[in-house]
Amino acid sequence: GAVPVETLPSKALSVRVAGLSAEELARRLRRSAPPVFARIHKDAVLFDLRTVQPGEDAVVERALRSILP
């Protein structure tokens, strides 16, 4: 529903890049091929590892390497 009453345990990877705002980093990730979606929290881009399927970690790594300055 819109207001979950239970939380699911998870881990998140927090990424910050010097000279690049979290909004800009997230925008670049969304525009990568394939698009990578993450959330922003406290000026950092967060990857919820619960949503990264086995084998997709390499996709996320390639996207980050391709867009970093």
Side-chain angles (χ1 to χ4, degrees), residues 48-69:
D48 185 336
L49 299 180
R50 188 181 58 211
T51 65
V52 178
Q53 299 300 310
E56 291 180 341
D57 51 344
V59 173
V60 173
E61 179 185 2
R62 279 192 305 273
L64 283 168
R65 286 182 184 273
S66 73
I67 62 170
L68 293 179

